[in-house]
Amino acid sequence: MKYFTLIIILVCVNLEQKTDKLNGRYNYLIEENNSYIQKDKITFNDSVFVFDNKYVPKGKISYGNVILLDNFINTDLIISISKDQIKKDTIPFYMHDKKSSSANYLDEVVGKGRLIKIK
């Protein structure tokens, strides 16, 4: 009986846990001259993302304290998103150049933009 109760508790705990992962479709906007310009649409599914542009390969999402989007349109470009932002409909992000002269390329921001959820 105690094993049955333990199994029920474990199943309930697993069902109630929410994942902090990007899912859904977003408009991809870049900030240029203090205005946002829509570049494309992105579909996120757990650890991969794809652009609506069929010629761009799939990208990878790394989850940690900061969420990183890798293998972007420009392969030297990496996008960082604060983990606390992914539950919002509008997600600000920062762009970093992997070939930056700084020791840690994530310390140097080369651009920014927003992801806006498509409902």
Side-chain angles (χ1 to χ4, degrees):
M1 185 68 175
K2 61 182 174 183
Y3 294 114
F4 180 71
T5 305
L6 182 63
I7 291 172
I8 296 295
I9 290 171
L10 289 174
V11 168
C12 289
V13 168
N14 284 338
L15 291 176
E16 290 181 17
Q17 289 180 342
K18 293 183 179 177
T19 59
D20 291 334
K21 295 194 175 192
L22 282 168
N23 284 308
R25 244 180 115 179
Y26 290 83
N27 286 317
Y28 168 66
L29 290 86
I30 299 289
E31 183 179 325
E32 290 180 7
N33 300 325
N34 295 325
S35 63
Y36 289 94
I37 300 169
Q38 181 174 345
K39 293 294 185 178
D40 207 344
K41 293 180 180 166
I42 304 175
T43 303
F44 293 98
N45 189 5
D46 288 337
S47 62
V48 295
F49 65 90
V50 291
F51 284 93
D52 281 2
N53 181 350
K54 304 295 183 210
Y55 301 106
V56 178
K58 288 184 181 180
K60 298 179 286 186
I61 304 173
S62 302
Y63 293 98
N65 293 336
V66 175
I67 298 166
L68 301 175
L69 306 179
D70 199 6
N71 199 15
F72 230 70
I73 295 170
N74 177 352
T75 56
D76 295 331
L77 186 69
I78 193 162
I79 302 273
S80 66
I81 299 171
S82 177
K83 190 170 187 172
D84 62 340
Q85 298 292 319
I86 65 171
K87 293 184 179 183
K88 298 179 180 180
D89 288 340
T90 301
I91 302 171
F93 64 82
Y94 298 98
M95 296 182 281
H96 311 276
D97 188 0
K98 289 182 189 176
K99 294 185 176 182
S100 171
S101 60
S102 65
N104 183 0
Y105 60 84
L106 292 176
D107 290 339
E108 186 177 332
V109 175
V110 295
K112 60 183 180 176
R114 293 180 185 237
L115 297 172
I116 299 176
K117 188 160 187 112
I118 301 171
K119 296 190 180 204

